[in-house]
Amino acid sequence: MKIGWIGIGVMGSSMVKNLLSAGHECFIFTRTKSKAEALIEAGAIWKDSPAQVAENADIVGMIVAMPSDVESVTMGENGVLSTMKPGTILVDFTTSSPLLAKKIAQFANKKDISTLDAPVSGGDIGARNATLSIMVGGDKASFDKLDDFFNTLGKTIEYQGPAGAGQHTKMVNQILIATNMIGVCESLIYAEKAGLNPENVLKSVGSGAAASWSLSNLAPRIIKGDFEPGFFVEHFIKDMGIALTEAKAMGIELPGLDMSYNLYKKLADEMNMGRKGTQALYFALKK
Amino acid sequence: MKIGWIGIGVMGSSMVKNLLSAGHECFIFTRTKSKAEALIEAGAIWKDSPAQVAENADIVGMIVAMPSDVESVTMGENGVLSTMKPGTILVDFTTSSPLLAKKIAQFANKKDISTLDAPVSGGDIGARNATLSIMVGGDKASFDKLDDFFNTLGKTIEYQGPAGAGQHTKMVNQILIATNMIGVCESLIYAEKAGLNPENVLKSVGSGAAASWSLSNLAPRIIKGDFEPGFFVEHFIKDMGIALTEAKAMGIELPGLDMSYNLYKKLADEMNMGRKGTQALYFALKK
């Protein structure tokens, strides 16, 4: 198939690589052309704007940074929706606002273009090995058509409901991580202060009722003093901000998420650690 | 070996059963004799007080409810330490105060009795199948001597340091669970309000970076409306109270644990759900 793609970051580059390997023809655009060089060498075709990427594509995929980027790349001047043909499908893999996903769907549907919001989890490794969890909202018939496409990119592919439902599901994912990260950091701070050997403590608590992905994967990094990003603090703040906005609009209070958001904001704004990994929350909790 | 045992609740009865099966001679006492009947039929020997349980034992094990019970059963009148012989070992499996564990150790050591604080995680199933995680503090030489004893009762056996270190490790375990439970409940509240199908959402978020034991095991119960106790709210409040007291004594702040403790207190004191399972936290967060 002819696939257009916007956004060649850590995630996007691996995803396009997998699409090329599966034999698809890929037209690509990203803000910084140098990031696309390896893919161009691997056979991807460079285009100078989102509109040009989209004009001959059956499917347009995208994974960019912020909701504002999603908005301009889709509905903006030279956005993909200015050139996509009726009957084609737009798939946004960015973690973005459920409300924006609905807005894009309405905008696109008027042109007989269908949309899927399809945020992912699984990180750079998941993108590389095509083991991502992809949470999909939008037009069900289009979802069913893209079975092969999604399976080229991920492993756990779940349809979650109408436009925005994929984003809402990703928000559920981030709410879970947000609060658990507080516990992971507090538990290490307690362990150290109590004079325990944190590595040995993990042997006792790592596989029972206290077990979690964050504990197994991020606590060992904190113990080693490794705060390099697997997932950026500033991206996590963006996600939590979206979840809090949606929660407010729905009239629910999420005090744990709220606490985590404020701690991460402090970490980024006052402690200048926005480009560290999410495990740096440790510093916002340690006195 | 001759083993004395105090406390025949859900955990204690399975643990003594495993000791009997391994061929040990077991003397038992518990507050409510009727709870001991099945064990007596299985070969355990009933005694009328902790002191009598302990008088001929090489090892005394115990798992009771509250730190105040631990204190009276050990150092109180008719407590086990009134009759235990020099060279014998007291093992307390109760989740209790690290400070109390140190106090008991000092008291016992004067009589040449050594002590181990050895709280467990893994619940009723772990006790029955001898797959408990046992977190041990206290005299290292005694720990080494009890290798077979511990392996009869659990699977993950870790020595964590001097008296109190086992309890501190269990506190780490409870701190992790406390904060994560907020996230599990908030994520379900968000999912429902957003119109998602929570069971389907778990398929997307259950095995990636948001994964945790509590999510896999307790979220499905919340969705089904099952709030029966795997672990009692009131016991969890006891544990978190100990952790907060210790944290305060060590001069550290744990805002996530604090939030969880207050939500669970509200659940028990204002909403009368102290005898529900910890997953009932859902009700304290849902408006």
Side-chain angles (χ1 to χ4, degrees), chain A residues 133 160 168 186 190 200 204 256, chain B residues 133 159-160 168 186 190 204 256:
Chain A
S133 169
Q160 295 290 355
H168 274 311
E186 289 188 358
Y190 181 102
N200 213 44
S204 281
Chain B
S133 169
Y159 180 77
Q160 295 291 355
H168 273 311
E186 289 188 359
Y190 181 100
S204 282

Side-chain angles (χ1 to χ4, degrees), chain B residues 7-21:
Chain B
I8 309 294
V10 176
M11 301 296 287
S13 58
S14 291
M15 295 168 84
V16 172
K17 207 172 215 173
N18 288 331
L19 290 169
L20 287 169
S21 300

Side-chain angles (χ1 to χ4, degrees), chain A:
Chain A
M1 276 195 298
K2 290 177 195 290
I3 297 173
W5 193 278
I6 321 290
I8 309 294
V10 178
M11 302 295 287
S13 59
S14 291
M15 293 167 85
V16 172
K17 207 172 216 171
N18 288 331
L19 290 169
L20 287 169
S21 300
H24 296 292
E25 193 175 350
C26 296
F27 311 103
I28 62 172
F29 172 80
T30 200
R31 220 153 31 187
T32 313
K33 188 175 174 182
S34 60
K35 288 191 183 172
E37 273 164 20
L39 285 178
I40 294 169
E41 270 176 47
I45 300 152
W46 176 260
K47 295 283 176 178
D48 284 322
S49 73
Q52 286 179 39
V53 155
E55 66 196 352
N56 291 307
D58 306 306
I59 304 169
V60 173
M62 57 185 282
I63 186 159
V64 295
M66 296 287 163
S68 56
D69 301 322
V70 171
E71 195 156 4
S72 67
V73 162
T74 54
M75 301 185 290
E77 203 182 345
N78 279 318
V80 294
L81 289 170
S82 68
T83 52
M84 283 177 75
K85 298 206 170 56
T88 60
I89 305 169
L90 171 62
V91 187
D92 181 16
F93 293 96
T94 317
T95 295
S96 170
S97 146
L99 223 59
L100 178 58
K102 287 178 211 165
K103 202 170 141 190
I104 294 169
Q106 285 170 353
F107 185 95
N109 293 349
K110 282 182 200 150
K111 304 179 175 219
D112 278 327
I113 299 161
S114 74
T115 64
L116 296 167
D117 49 299
V120 302
S121 82
D124 51 342
I125 298 166
R128 205 177 316 132
N129 301 337
T131 55
L132 293 169
S133 169
I134 310 182
M135 312 161 205
V136 189
D139 181 50
K140 178 70 163 66
S142 300
F143 171 77
D144 291 336
K145 265 188 237 167
L146 297 196
D147 206 38
D148 287 348
F149 173 74
F150 282 126
N151 280 296
T152 302
L153 299 171
K155 201 176 84 174
T156 308
I157 321 291
E158 291 290 335
Y159 180 76
Q160 295 290 355
Q167 296 299 349
H168 274 311
T169 303
K170 181 66 187 281
M171 290 304 124
V172 169
N173 194 77
Q174 303 307 71
I175 291 167
L176 286 160
I177 295 170
T179 315
N180 190 34
M181 281 307 299
I182 300 176
V184 168
C185 295
E186 289 188 358
S187 73
L188 290 177
I189 291 165
Y190 181 102
E192 287 160 9
K193 199 78 182 183
L196 301 172
N197 174 335
E199 281 180 6
N200 213 44
V201 168
L202 289 185
K203 290 184 198 160
S204 281
V205 305
S207 56
S212 68
W213 187 96
S214 293
L215 183 67
S216 302
N217 288 276
L218 300 180
R221 294 194 201 174
I222 297 173
I223 293 169
K224 275 186 290 185
D226 171 7
F227 296 96
E228 289 314 298
F231 186 54
F232 285 120
V233 165
E234 61 186 23
H235 288 171
F236 196 36
I237 290 173
K238 180 249 310 183
D239 296 356
M240 289 189 285
I242 295 169
L244 284 169
T245 302
E246 293 286 330
K248 201 175 172 188
M250 299 190 290
I252 55 175
E253 279 174 36
L254 304 175
L257 176 63
D258 208 52
M259 177 182 283
S260 188
Y261 178 78
N262 287 318
L263 286 165
Y264 274 106
K265 280 288 279 180
K266 177 182 157 191
L267 191 64
D269 298 346
E270 295 171 29
M271 303 172 79
N272 201 26
M273 295 196 193
R275 300 293 288 176
K276 294 289 180 189
T278 50
Q279 70 274 25
L281 183 67
Y282 175 81
F283 293 111
L285 283 157
K286 200 176 161 76
K287 297 279 151 170

Side-chain angles (χ1 to χ4, degrees), chain B:
Chain B
M1 273 193 298
K2 291 174 195 288
I3 295 174
W5 193 278
I6 321 289
I8 309 294
V10 176
M11 301 296 287
S13 58
S14 291
M15 295 168 84
V16 172
K17 207 172 215 173
N18 288 331
L19 290 169
L20 287 169
S21 300
H24 295 292
E25 191 174 352
C26 295
F27 311 102
I28 62 174
F29 172 80
T30 199
R31 220 153 30 186
T32 313
K33 190 176 174 182
S34 60
K35 289 191 182 171
E37 272 163 20
L39 284 178
I40 294 169
E41 269 176 46
I45 299 152
W46 177 260
K47 295 282 177 178
D48 285 321
S49 72
Q52 285 180 41
V53 155
E55 71 196 347
N56 292 307
D58 306 306
I59 304 169
V60 174
M62 58 186 282
I63 185 159
V64 296
M66 297 287 163
S68 57
D69 301 322
V70 171
E71 193 156 6
S72 67
V73 162
T74 54
M75 299 185 290
E77 203 184 341
N78 279 317
V80 294
L81 289 170
S82 68
T83 53
M84 284 178 75
K85 300 204 168 57
T88 61
I89 306 170
L90 171 62
V91 187
D92 181 16
F93 294 95
T94 317
T95 295
S96 170
S97 144
L99 223 59
L100 179 58
K102 286 178 213 163
K103 202 170 141 189
I104 294 169
Q106 284 170 353
F107 185 96
N109 292 350
K110 282 183 201 149
K111 304 177 175 220
D112 278 327
I113 300 162
S114 72
T115 65
L116 297 167
D117 49 301
V120 301
S121 82
D124 50 343
I125 299 168
R128 205 177 317 132
N129 302 338
T131 56
L132 293 169
S133 169
I134 310 182
M135 311 158 204
V136 190
D139 181 50
K140 179 68 162 68
S142 300
F143 171 77
D144 291 336
K145 264 188 235 165
L146 296 196
D147 206 37
D148 287 347
F149 174 73
F150 282 126
N151 279 297
T152 302
L153 299 171
K155 202 176 84 176
T156 308
I157 321 290
E158 290 291 336
Y159 180 77
Q160 295 291 355
Q167 297 297 351
H168 273 311
T169 303
K170 180 66 188 279
M171 291 302 124
V172 169
N173 193 75
Q174 304 306 71
I175 291 167
L176 286 160
I177 295 170
T179 315
N180 190 34
M181 280 307 298
I182 300 176
V184 168
C185 295
E186 289 188 359
S187 73
L188 290 177
I189 290 165
Y190 181 100
E192 287 161 9
K193 198 78 183 182
L196 302 172
N197 174 335
E199 281 180 4
N200 212 44
V201 168
L202 289 185
K203 290 183 199 161
S204 282
V205 306
S207 55
S212 69
W213 187 96
S214 293
L215 184 67
S216 301
N217 289 275
L218 299 181
R221 294 193 201 177
I222 296 172
I223 292 169
K224 276 186 290 184
D226 171 6
F227 296 96
E228 289 313 298
F231 186 54
F232 285 119
V233 164
E234 62 187 24
H235 288 172
F236 196 35
I237 291 172
K238 180 248 312 182
D239 295 356
M240 289 188 283
I242 294 168
L244 283 169
T245 302
E246 293 287 330
K248 200 175 171 187
M250 297 189 294
I252 56 175
E253 278 173 38
L254 304 176
L257 176 63
D258 208 51
M259 176 182 285
S260 189
Y261 178 78
N262 287 318
L263 286 165
Y264 273 106
K265 280 290 277 181
K266 179 182 156 191
L267 191 64
D269 297 347
E270 295 170 30
M271 303 172 78
N272 201 27
M273 295 197 192
R275 299 293 288 175
K276 294 288 179 190
T278 50
Q279 71 272 27
L281 183 67
Y282 176 80
F283 293 111
L285 283 157
K286 199 176 162 76
K287 295 282 150 168

